[in-house]
Every structure is written in C-alpha cells, then in structure tokens.
Amino acid sequence: MTDKQARRIAEFIAPLRVEPGSKVDLARDFDPRYRARLRKRDSTELLRTGVSLLAEYQSRLAAQDTYGVLLCLQALDAGGKDGTIRHVMSGVNPQGVRVSSFKVPSAEELDHDYLWRYARQLPARGEIGIFNRSHYEEVLVVRVHPENLDRQRLPEDARGRGVWKRRYREINDWERHLCDNGFPVVKIFLNLSKEEQRTRFLKRIDLPEKNWKFSAADIRERAHWDEYQRAFSEMLSATSTSWAPWYVVPADRKWFARICAAAVLAHTLIELDPRYPEVGKAARKELLAAKRQLEGEAPEGAERDPYAAEHGD
Ligand code: AMP
Ligand code: MG
C-alpha cells in the first residue's frame, strides 16, 4: 500500500461522508445514482483490487490483538446489503469475520435493554464484525413503527418524546466507548432510490429463484418510504460523529455500491494500520534454536533447510 493509493481511497470516499454536525436531507444531499464518473466496465478490476487489499489488511488485523473492527450496514429492503457482504468480503479469511443479521427482536432480547443484543455480537480483537442491520434499527424501524417501542417495555418516563434524541446520544456514546477501546465502528448506509427498489422487487417476483427474498411485508414497508427517508435523514445528522462518521453509499448501481463499501472499509483498516507482531529477542533466539534442531533432523541426502534452498535465502 503506497501513500498515493491510500490518498486516492480517502479522496474517493470523501464525498460519501456525512460531515459530523451537518444536517442531512437525503433527497437533496445524496444521489443514489452517483458513480464518480466510473464506468461499469472498469468495475470488476477495481473491486478485485479492493478485495485483495481487504484480504491483506484483514490478515494483518487477525495477527494482532489490539484492534477489532465493526462494520454496520443499513439499507431499506432490496438495498443490497447481502450482495455487498458477499462481494466485498469474498477475499477474506472467513475465520476472521463474523456476520450478524438482526431481525425482529425475540422475547429474550426484549427482556433486555435495546443495545444488549447488538453488544452480544460485537467482534473480538483481531476480528471484523459485520452487522447486517444494526443498532440503528432502534431509531429507524422502531421509530417508523412505534408499536415496536411499546414491546420494549421501557419505564414510563423513558418513553416520552425525547426518546429518539436520547437514543442518538446513547448510540454515539456507545460507539465512542467502542472506538476508544480498540474497536473502530464503520457505518455504511446503502442509499437506494424508490424507483430502483420497485425494479428490484419486481425482479424478485418475476424470477422464481428470487421469490424467497420477497415478502408481502416489503410492500407494506415501501408504503412508509417518506417516513423512512425522514428517519434516515435525522439519524444520519445526529449520529455521524468524528469518531464514527456515516458514509452514504449510492446504491442504485450494485457494482458501484460494492466498490464504495470496499473503499470505506479499506480506508478504516489503512488508518488503523495493523501490523504483524514483531518477534522479540528471546523469541527470535528460540526460533533459531528450533531451526538448528530441524536442520539437524534432515534425512540423508535431503537439504538441511528445504524451504531456504528452494527460495534462495
Ligand atoms: P430481513 O433483513 O429482510 O431479513 O428482515 C428483517 C426484518 O427485521 C426487517 O423487516 C426489519 O425491519 C426487522 N427488524 C430488524 N431490527 C428490528 C428491531 N430492532 N425492531 C423491529 N424490527 C426489526
Ligand atoms: Mg427483507
């Protein structure tokens, strides 16, 4: 990774970042069809570069034990969360990645505070945790459908009008705590247009092998489009922070969304710059002693160190 590459990635994702403290109006500020003048025919190569970069950094992340990374993916239905995870993470070692998908909360989950179920799925040091939907549902679907809030059985005085502002604050504080303790939080919103959602729903209905991806609930949610846009705009304004900024990724073109998602995650890993642990003096001595022992075990006619012999050092 050269400084120039790192700078190019930083410049590429800059227009997607929600400036902390700014007031977002999704429809006005972010175009779901933006493509930074890239062409689809160049996308395969670009994504391949991104994927191999991520593979290298993930391997370095897994080798150290100070940092873990949490990637939160939010989108409306058919926004492309599943496909983004599949493509962007296609090169990384599955041992170092943990994907958690959040659905309607269970009875057990409702018996706890609203952040509990997300906290239980956090990555360990060395891991990349991916949240397919995240704690942000608590200020999105729960806000658009307040009966979800009733089910959470909050104390009387915590249910009032200030509940969303308070949740924004709690979420910001929680993410700050995670960042301060070695777990940077990367937040991506896949920004889909209403017309592209219509097209993708129709595709799911028209193709039998896609039918399972469609449910009648998707149409019911679509009817709340404007409320979701408002909830997203307000959430992005309130929770894009200097320690965990939001990235609004244009999602109408899947190929572009995947390149953006890879670039945003790569940017965080580059900044983190995880290193393979260096072996100290004592350990180095042990390695050399083991090397001498193994060389001594070479059978008649074999190289003392076949690896060094083949690789010429
Ligand atoms: P999917 O991601 O398509 O499998 O759908 C998961 C469903 O769970 C979506 O309809 C979400 O709105 C819903 N969901 C996720 N988190 C919550 C939550 N905290 N409260 C209520 N519904 C949720
Ligand atoms: Mg769905």
Side-chain angles (χ1 to χ4, degrees):
M1 162 68 34
T2 63
D3 284 355
K4 195 167 154 222
Q5 275 174 304
R7 222 172 21 248
R8 270 180 54 198
I9 292 174
E11 280 165 15
F12 178 71
I13 65 168
L16 315 179
R17 183 169 36 239
V18 175
E19 278 319 307
S22 67
K23 193 161 166 28
V24 176
D25 174 346
L26 262 185
R28 180 194 65 198
D29 300 334
F30 293 97
D31 175 8
R33 294 191 63 75
Y34 172 75
R35 62 184 166 91
R37 277 180 280 165
L38 289 186
R39 290 167 309 181
K40 185 170 184 192
R41 72 180 104 113
D42 301 323
S43 65
T44 317
E45 193 50 42
L46 266 171
L47 186 59
R48 191 175 308 143
T49 311
V51 165
S52 65
L53 192 70
L54 286 177
E56 187 207 320
Y57 273 90
Q58 189 253 332
S59 152
R60 278 159 54 175
L61 185 76
Q64 54 80 62
D65 56 7
T66 307
Y67 297 105
V69 173
L70 173 64
L71 172 64
C72 299
L73 275 178
Q74 284 294 150
L76 285 175
D77 293 308
K81 298 189 301 300
D82 298 332
T84 299
I85 295 170
R86 193 167 68 246
H87 283 83
V88 171
M89 305 313 283
S90 58
V92 308
N93 179 352
Q95 286 216 74
V97 181
R98 190 142 65 98
V99 183
S100 309
S101 301
F102 296 98
K103 315 273 180 194
V104 177
S106 68
E108 187 194 17
E109 288 168 345
L110 289 171
D111 267 340
H112 295 264
D113 77 276
Y114 73 96
L115 288 177
W116 181 78
R117 67 174 185 153
Y118 308 98
R120 294 178 84 205
Q121 305 298 335
L122 286 172
R125 300 191 200 278
E127 283 182 340
I128 297 178
I130 300 179
F131 281 3
N132 182 346
R133 300 186 190 270
S134 68
H135 47 294
Y136 283 98
E137 291 297 342
E138 303 295 336
V139 292
L140 294 167
V141 66
V142 178
R143 183 171 193 177
V144 172
H145 300 286
E147 60 274 21
N148 289 305
L149 194 64
D150 299 337
R151 276 186 216 115
Q152 296 186 356
R153 308 199 307 276
L154 300 177
E156 189 65 45
D157 57 354
R159 265 183 254 169
R161 277 189 40 240
V163 61
W164 310 116
K165 271 216 170 82
R166 202 183 61 243
R167 285 194 171 189
Y168 295 147
R169 194 195 70 224
E170 290 161 351
I171 286 172
N172 287 342
D173 288 347
W174 189 54
E175 291 176 357
R176 179 160 211 158
H177 159 83
L178 291 173
C179 292
D180 286 348
N181 286 282
F183 296 92
V185 183
V186 184
K187 305 187 299 202
I188 292 178
F189 167 52
L190 297 171
N191 185 28
L192 187 73
S193 71
K194 196 171 184 188
E195 179 56 9
E196 180 61 22
Q197 188 193 53
R198 190 175 76 92
T199 308
R200 291 186 190 174
F201 279 171
L202 283 166
K203 182 175 177 189
R204 289 177 179 188
I205 295 167
D206 292 342
L207 299 178
E209 71 274 22
K210 299 252 179 216
N211 285 173
W212 65 275
K213 276 209 147 197
F214 187 79
S215 83
D218 292 344
I219 286 284
R220 285 199 295 277
E221 285 305 275
R222 180 176 164 83
H224 295 281
W225 183 272
D226 292 341
E227 292 154 75
Y228 272 110
Q229 295 295 302
R230 274 197 297 277
F232 269 108
S233 297
E234 202 177 297
M235 172 282 271
L236 292 166
S237 312
T239 62
S240 198
T241 53
S242 58
W243 54 94
W246 270 104
Y247 290 88
V248 178
V249 164
D252 274 15
R253 295 179 171 90
K254 289 179 178 173
W255 60 267
F256 187 68
R258 288 163 191 169
I259 290 171
C260 291
V264 169
L265 182 56
H267 175 71
T268 301
L269 288 165
I270 292 166
E271 298 255 284
L272 209 55
D273 198 21
R275 303 287 175 101
Y276 291 113
E278 284 197 23
V279 172
K281 254 193 179 153
R284 179 92 209 130
K285 237 171 123 178
E286 271 182 51
L287 285 180
L288 286 175
K291 181 177 165 74
R292 273 193 300 276
Q293 182 180 329
L294 289 167
E295 285 173 346
E297 290 173 16
E300 183 95 13
E303 296 285 356
R304 282 172 59 74
D305 182 341
Y307 179 82
E310 191 173 333
H311 295 86
D313 69 44

